[in-house]
Amino acid sequence: MNRTKFLAAGLLGFGLAAFAQGQATEPEKVTLTVDQAVEYALQNSRTLKSAQIDLEMKDRAAKYGWNVLLPSLNVTGTMSRSNEYNPSNMLMNPTKSNFDDEEERWNAIGGVSFGWNFSAAMIQQIRASKAAFEGGKISWEQSQIDTTMQIRKFFYGLLLQQENLKIQQTTLENSRQRASQAQTNYRNGIVPEISYLQAEVTYQNLIPDMEQKERELAQSFDMLGFLIGFPVGTDFELVGEIEPTYIEANSDDLLARYGGSNLDILSLQSNIDQLKLGISAGNLGTWIPALSVNFALQPAYIGDKGAWHFWGDLGKDEKWYDSGSLSLTLAWNIANMLPWSKNQQGIADNKAKLKQAELAMETMRENQKMEVRKAVDTLNQAREQIDAMGRTVTLAQRAYEMSARSYRNGTMELLDLRDAEKSLNDAKFGQLNQKYNYICALMDLEKALGVVLSDLQQSEASAGQN
């Protein structure tokens, strides 16, 4: 008896351990709101990390752009050996050793040189590095906004997929119940076999379509994990609704107030400023002379202790001589002034690029107008459709409920009930789709203007109330 109890306890313990292990290895579900998804993406995006490195390099270049004004300072020490040898020195002074003769071949020479070059073009180069950093900040902000928009649209698209799947699941469950009821009615002799078979075929036909939609949703969740930096296969639970924040939008008014805040326009303007600075630097470097200041000390040992023992006479001026110098030079490169020179051709290329950039600016501003007008039209149309479909959903819901009662009472055909159900599903999904379109159009409008309109209008409304 004790052995039996012991065996039962062991099996129970093993089962509990296996269950606990299975529970521990089961992947945890990650709950996500749209803001959390954006935050994860901003933290883990490889594109943003690369853009951040690029911005750091431009920041460093802007901070230390003045280093072109730093002088050069070199310190050298040289021991040189002459190949020339005069054997008469040994004949005239036979007391000398070969070691002394070898030392006479060597010379000890020190050197300290200082150089500083200045050109008026350097000032423009410093300004250009700062302008490049400002342009880099705009590009960085663009990358963040693009990532945010991509994740938000994808998130709301997933919510739309989920809602569509829920509608289809409800349809499938209703079809299953109708098939079950038809089977019962057929067995009880209430309806003919054809009615039961039609209901069963309708139910079976919906199953493959439902399974396909479930697979597509799972693939979309895998893509979401990839985009925001989670392992593929992570189980997500989305928290949120497809409910847009409505705004009052007039394209002309929005362009007049916020048209200059578009990041693409600001980025192109930064490029134009950099081209202008490059042209100015080229002209200054061509027509204004460059100043060069050089100073050098070059002490050489001439004492009688020999080159290998020069340190004994350090500080004794009569044992050393200095061949250094100070020079101040103004220099023009006359060749750079020639119209066919490489320098002048480079300036001409920059002027041509400037014209191209200015034409691109005109095109971009016109394109902005079209984008704003298109987005505003989409917003207004979507809002009208949302209101209209809201009323349609109410009517379709009543029509479906009445049809379902009639079908249960045997006064309506299955085909008519399916039509009513399809109309209800189309109305529900159509309204959700228009809400999704409104959200996407509002994001496109905010990107075209470079401002968050919903926040601005809310703050303006709060200020007006105060």
Side-chain angles (χ1 to χ4, degrees), residues 413-431:
E413 296 292 334
L414 176 61
L415 183 61
D416 295 330
L417 177 62
R418 289 174 57 192
D419 289 341
E421 185 177 40
K422 184 177 183 303
S423 298
L424 175 60
N425 291 340
D426 290 344
K428 287 181 178 179
F429 185 74
Q431 186 184 39

Side-chain angles (χ1 to χ4, degrees), residues 283 286-287 333-349 351:
N283 287 328
T286 300
W287 303 106
N333 189 335
I334 302 301
N336 285 341
M337 303 178 185
L338 301 176
W340 53 83
S341 66
K342 181 179 179 180
N343 180 67
Q344 290 299 315
Q345 289 303 306
I347 294 175
D349 289 344
K351 289 181 178 179

Side-chain angles (χ1 to χ4, degrees), residues 45-94:
S45 170
R46 295 178 180 87
T47 302
L48 286 179
K49 289 179 180 179
S50 178
Q52 177 67 35
I53 294 172
D54 185 57
L55 181 62
E56 290 172 356
M57 290 190 294
K58 291 181 179 179
D59 183 23
R60 189 168 59 252
K63 285 181 178 178
Y64 305 111
W66 52 267
N67 59 15
V68 296
L69 300 175
L70 289 175
S72 61
L73 180 63
N74 297 310
V75 178
T76 61
T78 305
M79 293 292 290
S80 64
R81 181 183 183 277
S82 174
N83 291 331
E84 183 181 358
Y85 172 67
N86 188 355
S88 62
N89 290 339
M90 290 291 293
L91 297 176
M92 295 176 62
N93 190 358

Side-chain angles (χ1 to χ4, degrees), residues 147-159:
T147 300
T148 300
M149 280 188 57
Q150 179 189 21
I151 299 303
R152 285 185 176 275
K153 285 185 177 182
F154 198 87
F155 187 93
Y156 286 115
L158 270 174
L159 288 179

Side-chain angles (χ1 to χ4, degrees), residues 134-190:
E134 294 300 323
K137 289 197 293 185
I138 295 173
S139 298
W140 164 248
E141 189 175 353
Q142 279 180 305
S143 299
Q144 287 185 308
I145 290 176
D146 290 342
T147 300
T148 300
M149 280 188 57
Q150 179 189 21
I151 299 303
R152 285 185 176 275
K153 285 185 177 182
F154 198 87
F155 187 93
Y156 286 115
L158 270 174
L159 288 179
L160 186 64
Q161 269 188 278
Q162 281 187 324
E163 291 300 323
N164 186 33
L165 184 61
K166 289 178 183 178
I167 293 173
Q168 298 302 321
Q169 287 172 341
T170 301
T171 301
L172 181 64
E173 177 60 21
N174 292 340
S175 180
R176 186 194 66 79
Q177 292 178 3
R178 285 194 294 268
S180 178
Q181 181 184 2
Q183 184 181 31
T184 301
N185 292 340
Y186 166 66
R187 288 174 178 173
N188 295 331
I190 300 175

